[in-house]
Structure formats: structure tokens, C-alpha cells
Amino acid sequence: MLNTRRFYINGQWVDPHATCDHQVINPTTEEPCTTISLGSEQDVDDAVTAARAAFLVWKQTPVEERIAALDRLIENYEAGADEMAKAMTVEMGAPIDFSRNVHFMAGLGHLKNFVKVAREFTFEEPLSEEAPDSWIIYEPAGVAALITPWNWPMNQIMLKVGAAIVSGCTMVVKPSEESPLSALILADMVDRAGFPPGVFNLVNGDGAGVGTALSSHMDVDLVSFTGSGRAGKLVSRAAISNLKQVHLELGGKGANLVFADADPQAVERGVRQLMVNSGQSCIAPSRMIVEASAYDAAVETAAEVGGSLTVGPANEHGAHLGPVVNRAQFEKIQGLIQKGIEEGARVIAGGLGRPDGINRGFYVRPTIFADVTSNMTIASEEIFGPVLVMMKFEDEVDAIKIANDTEFGLMNYVQTQNREKLRRVSRSMRSGMVEANGVRRGAGAPFGGVKQSGNGREGGKWGMSDFLEVKLVSGWI
């Protein structure tokens, strides 16, 4: 049994310099499930110092050895599947089958893909055939601070940790204080995989404390952050201290454009995609924008699908939705549902309060609003819960205008069987990603956005490249 109050620094489990307990609340029961320590600047400094010392050796380690270390971690991760899934269910409320089959598998997929990418990547190559004596060398960026969110614990941590390992960076991980258990289990897996001391370090803490200390630390070369736009701006300001690299994966307000010629499953698919992970996904298709001629039928279908969704305890097997992560998130979502009602949107499924028969746990009724207009709060603010808004468009130009009328630009969706229309619309939407007709991203696809959704890319060769610097050597013999 792990001592959850400890940190993993320089290959050892260590006590914090000062006592600062934080209870982790199980959102299913509203009861504490464990207690962690929130770190201090001194704890951060110890971790960064260890990572800096390890970097001098790790960056020179042949890529084959870094891959071998990652392979050992993958073995440990696969062996610990049930333990990891249970931890995510307890800490952030994902139903146990979803934790095992989706959350856990997402992390595993990223690690395996980074092994593949590293084996195929050319770390040293000539600039061109015309300049064979000028060489490009891809070198690790240095000490990386990896700051991760609670909503997809292993997905987000593995996108960063896997990239850092194969690129040759050393790291200090700060998981969300809302979902630290899975990260602590991962640290134990790293320890048993035999990584050199200091390559992987973990310090628990909150954003204001450990997050700021890492972002502003003069010996941190790179920050990879996933979270809210507000926090991302604070990270960027703190990182100015030594002009460190900052890669941000922030919020979204995905537009799902449903044209009249969409396939028959498009509306149901859009509702169910929004409800995945209880709506707590930055890429959720949270605005379903439907062509006017198909709008009434789409509303009817959405209402039927929304009304069929069930909510239940995260520790029970099944395809139901679990609770949202904590009381603050529950109350925020309730406030936005109330705002939608006050501003004139029509509730066609769900609504305020907990689902019938549930009086404990941070459960939100799967909610769908129809007749939403662009001036409504729920059309522009990221709700981050199981709440879908439905809007109407008149033609292709109007559809693109509504889709782009947001500060976010992470992932948009388009549903049409017309190939040329699909390509025109996809090119016109301002987002880092577009999903067409329910076809999911391929393994190793770049993940990231534009505008207020952040910068940089995670996953595959693009994700690894964010942890590399480019060096030119001319006169190479």
C-alpha cells in the first residue's frame, strides 16, 4: 500500500518538507478516499535538482535504452490494469468499466505509440542532399515540468511522460490534486521499471503552489500543461522567468455541424460523444449545430437519446454515466443549466438537480438544451459536464460562422455525406482538429488546438517533437 503523503524524488519515496494535508474526495460518496500532501517550493526544488542532475546522463543515453526502459514501464502498467482503473474510479468518478476499457487503455496506447515513434524517428540527419556537411541533430529540451488535469488522468500523463522519456528529457510531474492516486501508482511502476534516479519525479500540489513553483523555476526548461485557460495564462506568465518553452492544451467548445445530408446515426452519435466521461472532456462536441431543414427531427432524436441515458455509482459495472469530479464542478454546472433556462433555452432532456432517486454524490442529470442562440451563456462558456446545446444554421456560410464564433479552437466535428462540402467546411473551421462522420483519430495523431485552446501538439511524432530542440552543425565530417 502506497503512502500517499509521500513524493517520488530522485528514485526514492520521500516525506514532504512541511505538513500540508489535502483530502481527496470520492465523488460517488462525497467522502474522503485518501489524503495527500501538497508540496512546497523546497519539495519542488529537490525534484528539479534531481531532474537536472539526471539530465546530464539521460540525454546521452542511447535511444534504444530509453525505449527499453519505456517497455519495462509498459509491462508494469499492463500488469497493474485493475489497480489503476479502480484508482481512477475512486478519485474522479469514472464508472469502473469505462476506467478499465477507456481511461486505462488510452494511457497504454500512448506509451506503445511512443515506442513506435522513437524507433522510427531519425535523431540525426543531413540538412539536405545539397548540404550534406550541415547536419540537424534533435536533442532533448531539458528538464520538463508536466502539469496534468483530473478529467483524463492516464491519458494526459502518458502523453507527456511517454514523450519526455523517448526524447531524453527528465521530468517533474504534478498531477491534479483531485486525481493523484493514479499518478502515485504510476510512480511506483516507474520505480519498479528501473529508471535511473531523477529521470522521473513526482510532487503533488495545487496550481498556486507547486504549479507556480515549477513554472517559474529557473532550472526547468519546458512546461507542458493541460488545464483551464485561466491557469494556462498563469503558467505562461510564470514561465517568462527564463523564457522556457510552454506547451498548452486548454479548453474547448466543440462545434458539431450536422448537415441535412448527414448519416442517420449522426445526431445520436453526437449526443453520446458529448456525454462521454460525464461531459468532462475538452474535445466534447458540446454545440450541436443543425441545418434548419433537419433541425426539428434532430431535436426529437436528441431528446430520445438524452432521456435514455442512465446515471449510477462509479464502482458498479455498466455503461452508465458517473458523477462529475467534485462539488465545485457540480455547482458550476447547475449554475449554467439555470442560466440556460433563464436566458430562454428549451430543456428537452434532464435539467436541474440530481437524477431521480439519487441524493448523494456529484451526479448531474444528462441535459440537452434546444433553441440555443449565440448570445446565450451556454453557447459560449465551456460547461465541462453532461450538457449539450443545440443550435440551428441556415446554410454552409452560416454554419461556419457559428462554429468559429468562439474563443476556443480545439476540436470541431462535421457530419455530411458530401465529400467536397466536408473538405470545404473542415478547412474553414478554426480548430486544431476536425472529426468527420464519426471517424476517430488514428494512433499517433497530433492533439492540440488554436486560439484560446492552446498551442503545441501532443501524441505521436508531433508530441515527441515538442520535447526536442533542433541543433544545426555545419562542417559535419
Side-chain angles (χ1 to χ4, degrees):
M1 185 70 178
L2 289 174
N3 181 340
T4 58
R5 286 184 169 90
R6 289 186 153 191
F7 307 140
Y8 187 74
I9 298 176
N10 204 28
Q12 297 182 337
W13 290 99
V14 300
D15 293 322
H17 281 280
T19 301
C20 186
D21 284 351
H22 171 80
Q23 288 187 329
V24 180
I25 305 299
N26 181 335
T28 297
T29 64
E30 300 186 40
E31 298 292 335
C33 60
T34 194
T35 300
I36 63 168
S37 297
L38 300 181
S40 64
E41 286 191 25
Q42 195 169 358
D43 297 310
V44 169
D45 195 57
D46 288 348
V48 174
T49 298
R52 174 59 63 193
F55 177 65
L56 299 176
V57 176
W58 186 242
K59 71 174 183 177
Q60 301 293 344
T61 302
V63 66
E64 293 81 8
E65 292 184 25
R66 300 200 295 263
I67 291 171
L70 184 52
D71 277 334
R72 295 193 298 272
L73 174 58
I74 289 172
E75 290 178 10
N76 291 341
Y77 185 74
E78 289 182 304
D82 291 340
E83 181 186 20
M84 186 65 78
K86 289 176 183 177
M88 289 185 282
T89 290
V90 167
E91 68 189 0
M92 51 78 64
I96 186 63
D97 291 343
F98 191 77
S99 287
R100 179 64 178 81
N101 299 328
V102 181
H103 278 286
F104 171 82
M105 292 303 296
L108 179 61
H110 292 315
L111 292 187
K112 287 186 173 182
N113 194 64
F114 280 122
V115 168
K116 179 177 183 292
V117 167
R119 285 182 174 143
E120 296 175 352
F121 193 81
T122 303
F123 286 87
E124 297 184 358
E125 60 186 357
L127 175 63
S128 66
E129 291 183 3
E130 292 75 22
D133 58 353
S134 290
W135 274 63
I136 301 296
I137 302 175
Y138 296 93
E139 295 186 334
V143 175
L146 312 180
I147 303 175
T148 62
W150 50 262
N151 60 317
W152 286 88
M154 282 299 103
N155 180 74
Q156 292 304 134
I157 285 182
M158 295 313 200
L159 278 169
K160 301 178 192 300
V161 168
I165 289 171
V166 295
S167 68
C169 290
T170 56
M171 69 208 78
V172 181
V173 178
K174 189 209 86 67
S176 169
E177 67 273 24
E178 302 292 340
S179 58
L181 291 175
S182 52
L184 288 166
I185 293 170
L186 174 63
D188 185 58
M189 294 174 174
V190 170
D191 183 68
R192 290 185 283 109
F195 279 75
V199 169
F200 177 101
N201 305 274
L202 183 146
V203 178
N204 276 315
D206 56 18
V210 171
T212 299
L214 280 170
S215 302
S216 61
H217 202 289
M218 295 299 290
D219 277 334
V220 169
D221 302 292
L222 178 153
V223 179
S224 180
F225 170 85
T226 302
S228 70
R230 179 194 60 81
K233 291 172 184 176
L234 293 174
V235 166
S236 296
R237 292 190 190 106
I240 291 294
S241 59
N242 66 339
L243 298 177
K244 57 176 65 70
Q245 290 187 48
V246 179
H247 304 303
L248 303 173
E249 199 276 282
L250 308 176
K253 190 70 174 177
N256 186 8
L257 300 185
V258 181
F259 287 88
D261 64 351
D263 67 85
Q265 289 76 42
V267 172
E268 178 175 355
R269 182 171 63 242
V271 173
R272 294 189 182 279
Q273 281 185 274
L274 177 278
M275 299 297 174
V276 165
N277 208 36
S278 296
Q280 300 170 121
S281 300
C282 53
I283 60 170
S286 52
R287 294 180 295 152
M288 184 180 287
I289 307 166
V290 185
E291 190 165 2
S293 62
Y295 181 77
D296 289 343
V299 168
E300 183 177 346
T301 298
E304 291 175 0
V305 176
S308 72
L309 299 172
T310 59
V311 176
N315 60 313
E316 293 184 2
H317 293 283
H320 55 280
L321 305 184
V324 297
V325 70
N326 57 27
R327 184 177 302 280
Q329 190 68 13
F330 174 84
E331 292 177 350
K332 173 195 172 185
I333 295 167
Q334 295 300 316
L336 286 166
I337 293 174
Q338 180 63 46
K339 192 74 170 177
I341 294 170
E342 292 172 356
E343 292 183 350
R346 176 163 58 103
V347 177
I348 61 172
L352 288 167
R354 291 181 172 88
D356 293 341
I358 297 177
N359 57 19
R360 189 169 183 81
F362 305 125
Y363 296 96
V364 175
R365 297 172 70 189
T367 298
I368 303 175
F369 283 102
D371 306 339
V372 175
T373 55
S374 295
N375 61 333
M376 293 181 182
T377 303
I378 57 174
S380 59
E381 186 166 334
E382 185 179 31
I383 300 172
F384 223 63
V387 181
L388 174 67
V389 302
M390 298 187 71
M391 308 170 74
K392 185 187 300 185
F393 71 85
E394 298 299 328
D395 55 27
E396 187 176 317
V397 172
D398 189 36
I400 294 166
K401 179 181 177 182
I402 297 171
N404 289 337
D405 184 21
T406 173
E407 66 183 13
F408 299 109
L410 186 56
M411 188 164 189
N412 287 322
Y413 301 74
V414 58
Q415 319 296 330
T416 177
Q417 297 303 294
N418 184 306
R419 185 177 68 175
E420 294 308 314
K421 183 196 299 180
L422 186 154
R423 293 180 177 182
R424 285 195 308 270
V425 171
S426 296
R427 291 188 179 105
S428 299
M429 290 195 290
R430 290 205 62 203
S431 58
M433 299 171 285
V434 176
E435 179 184 297
N437 298 321
V439 178
R440 301 300 175 88
R441 304 182 307 280
F447 186 102
V450 299
K451 300 196 288 187
Q452 297 295 307
S453 289
N455 57 62
R457 294 294 181 267
E458 294 188 309
K461 64 182 180 182
W462 293 272
M464 188 177 74
S465 294
D466 272 1
F467 286 79
L468 295 170
E469 296 278 14
V470 178
K471 176 187 284 183
L472 168 69
V473 179
S474 60
W476 189 268
I477 301 175

